[in-house]
Amino acid sequence: MTGTRVLVLNSGSSSVKYQLLDMRDSSRLAVGLVERIGEETSRLKHTPLANGGEAREQTGPIADHEAALKAVAEELDKDGLGLGSPELAAIGHRVVHGGRQFTEPTVIDERVLAEIERLIPVAPLHNPANLTGIRTAQALRPDLPQVAVFDTAFHTTMPESAARYAIDVETADEHRIRRYGFHGTSHAYVSRATAKLLGKAPEDVNVIVLHLGNGASASAVRAGRCVDTSMGLTPLEGLVMGTRSGDLDPAVIFHLARVGGLSMDDIDTLLNKKSGLIGLCGDNDMREIRRRVDEGDERARLAFDIYIHRLRKYIGAYYAVLGRVDAIAFTAGVGENAAPVREAAVAGLEGLGLAVDAERNGARSDEPRLISPEGARVAVAVVPTDEELEIATQTYALVGSL
Ligand code: ADP
C-alpha cells in the first residue's frame, strides 16, 4: 500500500454521502453529498476542506448512482484529489446489514458481494443501495481495495439471550429472524472515545451509549463489547425516533390490518415514516419540538415526554444488564445538541449515581466532554460521533494489514 487517503462512501437509496480523509492525521480533505439521485432536482454539494473550504454546489438531474459517483470524481479532480490519484489507498463503504457472518470490516470480493445481496430480504431499503455504491466504485477503480464496514458488526458479540426473540426457534432460524442492531460503527466509536475521555482502556469500562439522531438506538457495552442494543431485526425497534415508533406491542399490527383494514405496506410506512416524534406532534426536529414546548404546546410536550420516558426505560434496562455502569454517553444530532433531553433523561436518578451539572450540560462544544458533577459515581458524557472517521480508520487498518 502506498497511498494514505481513504474515500468513505455512504450510499443511500437516493443519496451518496462521502468524505475523503488523509489517514496520516485523520484530516478531512473533502466532504460532500449528492441528494435526490434519479430526480430532476438532484443536488451535489462538495466542500474541498484541504483547499480553502469554499463549498461548491450544482443542481440538475443526476440519473443514477453511477452518474452521481462520476460527478463526485469530477469535483475531487478539480482539487487534485481525484479517484485516479496514487495517494488513494482504499474506498470504505458503509454497509447497513452484515447479518451474523460479518463481524469485522471485510475486503470486498465476489463472495462478499453475494453475501450482502443474500441479506437483502432483511434489509430491503439499505443493502441494495449499498451494493450499487460498491459496484459503481469498483467500476471506477477496479484495482483499488474496497472495504465493507457493517452497521451490524459491533453488535455480533451480543449473547443469544439478548439477540434472540422469544419465538419458535425453527421459524426464527429459517427466516433469520433475530436482533442484529444498527448504528454499530457509531456505538463502537463512541464507547471507545468515552473510555478515552475517562482516561481508561475500553476493556476497563462499561458504557451505555445513547445514539440519538433522527434514527436512535441505545447500546450496553461491557468491556468494549456490545452486550445489548435497542434496534432489532430492523432499525424499527427500540427508542422513539424522528419518524419511527420504536417498541410497540406486535399485536398493534394485527389490529391495524384486521380491524383498521390497512395493508402491510401501509403499516410499514405508518410505523417507519409517520410515527415517532413526527406522528406524535407533526415535527421530528428536536429544536422545533423544544421551541413548541417552551411556548406551551401540549402535543409537543406529550411527544417530548414519551420520547424521554422510553429513553429512561432503556437507561434503566441497560443499567440492569451491565450491573456496573461507568459512563453514559450521549451522541448524534439530538444527543450532542439537546441539553434538555440529556437533563430529562437522568433527572431524579441520583440513586443510580446519575446526574448532570446544569452549567456543564448547557455549555456548547464539539469536543467530547463530561457533563456530570465533579466526583459523580457514573460519568455522564457528550461524545460527538464520527462514523466516517471510524469507517476510514477500520478500512485503512485492514488494507494496511493485507
Ligand atoms: P441522522 O444521521 O439520523 O439523520 P443526526 O444525527 O444528524 O441524524 O441528527 C439529526 C437530528 O438532530 C435532527 O432531526 C434534530 O432533531 C436533532 N438536532 C440537530 N441539531 C440540534 C440542536 N441544536 N438541538 C436539538 N436537536 C438538534
Side-chain angles (χ1 to χ4, degrees), residues 95-367:
V95 180
V96 167
H97 216 308
R100 294 182 73 182
Q101 55 272 55
F102 293 113
T103 59
E104 299 284 341
T106 306
V107 175
I108 299 167
D109 57 18
E110 281 307 314
R111 188 192 60 83
V112 172
L113 281 172
E115 281 298 311
I116 297 171
E117 194 156 4
R118 213 173 63 84
L119 288 161
I120 287 177
V122 284
L125 295 178
H126 294 103
N127 276 25
N130 301 155
L131 276 170
T132 308
I134 294 169
R135 291 210 170 98
T136 310
Q138 282 180 325
L140 284 175
R141 276 297 301 269
D143 57 312
L144 208 61
Q146 314 254 346
V147 174
V149 179
F150 299 94
D151 256 25
T152 46
F154 184 60
H155 304 302
T156 54
T157 53
M158 274 196 288
E160 286 294 280
S161 54
R164 276 202 181 268
Y165 292 108
I167 62 172
D168 171 68
V169 173
E170 280 75 33
T171 308
D173 288 349
E174 184 187 344
H175 299 287
R176 285 180 287 168
I177 293 171
R178 59 189 282 115
R179 309 189 55 257
Y180 294 98
F182 299 88
H183 290 145
T185 310
S186 176
H187 286 282
Y189 177 85
V190 170
S191 57
R192 277 208 318 277
T194 304
K196 191 169 165 209
L197 182 68
L198 301 183
K200 298 200 169 149
E203 298 73 43
D204 295 331
V205 291
N206 293 349
V207 187
I208 298 174
V209 179
L210 304 170
H211 176 110
L212 311 176
N214 201 23
S217 63
S219 68
V221 184
R222 176 181 289 132
R225 289 162 71 85
C226 178
V227 292
D228 203 355
T229 194
S230 60
M231 285 178 166
L233 173 74
T234 76
L236 183 55
E237 192 179 344
L239 299 172
V240 175
M241 309 181 211
T243 68
R244 296 182 206 134
S245 62
D247 295 336
L248 84 177
D249 181 345
V252 169
I253 296 163
F254 316 144
H255 188 87
L256 286 171
R258 292 180 187 140
V259 182
L262 272 70
S263 70
M264 278 303 147
D265 284 345
D266 290 342
I267 299 171
D268 194 327
T269 304
L270 178 77
L271 298 181
N272 275 296
K273 304 228 165 88
K274 298 181 183 168
S275 296
L277 293 170
I278 209 157
L280 288 166
C281 75
D283 273 307
N284 63 338
D285 192 312
M286 193 50 83
R287 283 165 288 205
E288 186 58 17
I289 292 170
R290 282 308 310 174
R291 196 189 57 71
R292 287 173 54 187
V293 169
D294 291 342
E295 283 178 351
D297 184 316
E298 298 274 328
R299 278 188 70 187
R301 175 85 244 172
L302 180 62
F304 184 79
D305 289 349
I306 294 170
Y307 183 94
I308 296 295
H309 180 75
R310 187 82 52 83
L311 191 55
R312 290 167 64 88
K313 275 170 77 165
Y314 271 91
I315 292 172
Y318 288 171
Y319 212 114
V321 166
L322 290 170
R324 188 199 86 218
V325 178
D326 299 296
I328 295 194
F330 287 90
T331 194
V334 176
E336 291 167 30
N337 296 297
V341 168
R342 299 191 296 253
E343 184 191 331
V346 300
L349 299 183
E350 291 83 4
L352 296 177
L354 291 170
V356 297
D357 174 274
E359 197 175 317
R360 289 180 172 185
N361 189 35
R364 300 198 64 86
S365 161
D366 293 334
E367 296 297 315

